[in-house]
Each structure stands twice: as C-alpha cells, then as structure tokens.
Amino acid sequence: MNVSKTREEAWALLNEYNKEPFHIRHAVTLEGVMRYFAAKLGYSDEADFWGMVGLLHDLDFEQFPEQHCIKEEEILRERRYDEKLIHAVVSHGYNLTVNVEPTHEMEKVLYATDELTGLIGAAALMRPSKSVSDIELKSVKKKFKSTGFAAGCSREVISKGAEMLGWTLDDLIEKTILAMRSCEAEYSKY
C-alpha cells in the first residue's frame, strides 16, 4: 500500500487526535527539525516526507499515552498511510513501547531528536529571551546533566540516538539546536 498523503491531510489528522497546544507545538517543531536534517544530510528530495514523519510521530500520544506508537500504527494503517511512514513514526518508540527498530538514517534522527527537542525547548524557556536563538551547547549540556530538569526527557534515549547516528552527544545537541533555530518562527506560533 503506497498511498501518498498531503501535508494538509496529515495536519488534519494531527488535529483530530491532538487538542493541547503543547502537543501541536511539539509536532510542528519535529516537522521543522526533520526537514532541516533532511536538507543537511543529503535527503532534500525527501524533505516533505521527513517533515510529515516529524509532524505525525506523536499522533496518538495525547489520547493514548499507554499505547503510544501502537495505537498510532493502527490509526495510520486505517487511514492508508504509506508503510514506510508508519515504520518511521512507530520506530521512535523503540525499546520503549514497541520493538520496531529505527533502521533508516531518518528514523534514527527522529529517535535522537524527539526527546532532545523537549530538553532544548525547556532550557530555552529558562532564558530571558525564551528562545533557542541564543542558547548554546554548554547551557543544554548543563541541563542534560541535571536529571531533575525536564525529567520527562529521557537522557538514555537521547544518548542512544546519538550512538545510533554515530555522532557524539555534543554533535547531536549542536545540530539539533541549529535545526530548532531554523523553524522556531513556525513552531512558536503554537
């Protein structure tokens, strides 16, 4: 089943299952981050697909947190989304809620940046600017080491994601800060 969907269809689906501004903002953030990485890693021709994966990755989390990635797979399959997209979004729950391993570089980027964008976003909110525009690696690393800060952001997943990509933790954080800067104007609307 290879059914092509538009961004508008994905947006409507996201909003059908998500009402909280926090979840919408996180989805839009990951959409922008994934588009950024697609361009930087040589997949510019797949940027729309990478973005849609980012937009839909937590589709089920607001309504079905205990079945995260499991329910999402059902919903996307019922709506006839491409199996490649389904595998990609489900794989970010690897060893958390599902046993679907991230295999493509895009899936590894999603796995690595999902939790990290939350940590960076929380750290940015502590700054006078409330923006990622002036946040630096040093600040994020300090917050990363403080396990009580943004405790819901799994440092283990972030570290494992960097390892999957073959990047150092510093590289992952620096690149993700730049990715978030690239799309801050869009996600800050939410």
Side-chain angles (χ1 to χ4, degrees), residues 108-129:
K108 295 173 185 178
V109 168
L110 176 63
Y111 182 88
T113 60
D114 180 28
E115 299 283 321
L116 182 54
T117 58
L119 181 74
I120 294 170
L125 290 176
M126 302 297 290
R127 305 182 66 74
S129 67

Side-chain angles (χ1 to χ4, degrees), residues 3-94:
V3 178
S4 182
K5 299 286 186 175
T6 65
R7 199 266 183 197
E8 291 74 26
E9 289 170 307
W11 179 253
L13 183 60
L14 175 71
N15 282 277
E16 181 180 333
Y17 284 90
N18 292 270
K19 305 300 178 206
E20 294 292 325
F22 173 84
H23 292 120
I24 301 294
R25 184 173 38 257
H26 178 65
V28 173
T29 299
L30 263 291
E31 176 185 26
V33 164
M34 293 300 290
R35 287 177 153 283
Y36 174 89
F37 277 109
K40 291 295 179 186
L41 297 174
Y43 298 93
S44 294
D45 58 330
E46 296 178 31
D48 290 343
F49 180 76
W50 283 47
M52 192 176 299
V53 166
L55 187 68
L56 293 175
H57 82 284
D58 276 349
L59 175 67
D60 63 352
F61 189 77
E62 186 176 314
Q63 291 188 23
F64 308 100
E66 301 302 318
Q67 295 179 292
H68 181 41
C69 295
I70 299 164
K71 193 69 175 167
E72 176 170 59
E73 182 176 8
E74 292 173 22
I75 294 165
L76 292 171
R77 200 159 274 130
E78 285 171 6
R79 302 296 175 102
R80 301 188 56 199
Y81 274 79
D82 185 283
E83 287 297 321
K84 183 178 168 188
L85 181 134
I86 294 169
H87 186 276
V89 297
V90 171
S91 73
H92 89 279
Y94 179 60

Side-chain angles (χ1 to χ4, degrees), residues 101-112:
E101 186 172 0
T103 53
H104 187 280
E105 189 171 22
M106 178 260 306
E107 296 169 345
K108 295 173 185 178
V109 168
L110 176 63
Y111 182 88

Side-chain angles (χ1 to χ4, degrees), residues 65-184:
E66 301 302 318
Q67 295 179 292
H68 181 41
C69 295
I70 299 164
K71 193 69 175 167
E72 176 170 59
E73 182 176 8
E74 292 173 22
I75 294 165
L76 292 171
R77 200 159 274 130
E78 285 171 6
R79 302 296 175 102
R80 301 188 56 199
Y81 274 79
D82 185 283
E83 287 297 321
K84 183 178 168 188
L85 181 134
I86 294 169
H87 186 276
V89 297
V90 171
S91 73
H92 89 279
Y94 179 60
N95 279 344
L96 301 168
T97 58
V98 296
N99 290 322
V100 178
E101 186 172 0
T103 53
H104 187 280
E105 189 171 22
M106 178 260 306
E107 296 169 345
K108 295 173 185 178
V109 168
L110 176 63
Y111 182 88
T113 60
D114 180 28
E115 299 283 321
L116 182 54
T117 58
L119 181 74
I120 294 170
L125 290 176
M126 302 297 290
R127 305 182 66 74
S129 67
K130 307 259 189 257
S131 170
V132 294
S133 65
D134 60 353
I135 201 161
E136 298 297 332
L137 171 64
K138 182 179 171 183
S139 300
V140 176
K141 282 191 72 174
K142 186 176 179 183
K143 298 297 187 188
F144 183 89
K145 291 176 184 173
S146 174
T147 55
F149 179 81
C153 298
S154 171
R155 275 68 168 169
E156 184 181 337
V157 167
I158 295 167
S159 296
K160 178 71 176 163
E163 182 183 312
M164 282 181 184
L165 287 163
W167 300 350
T168 66
L169 182 59
D170 286 7
D171 283 345
L172 176 62
I173 294 170
E174 284 182 322
K175 290 174 182 182
T176 304
I177 289 170
L178 294 174
M180 290 179 72
R181 285 180 185 164
S182 78
C183 59
E184 185 172 31

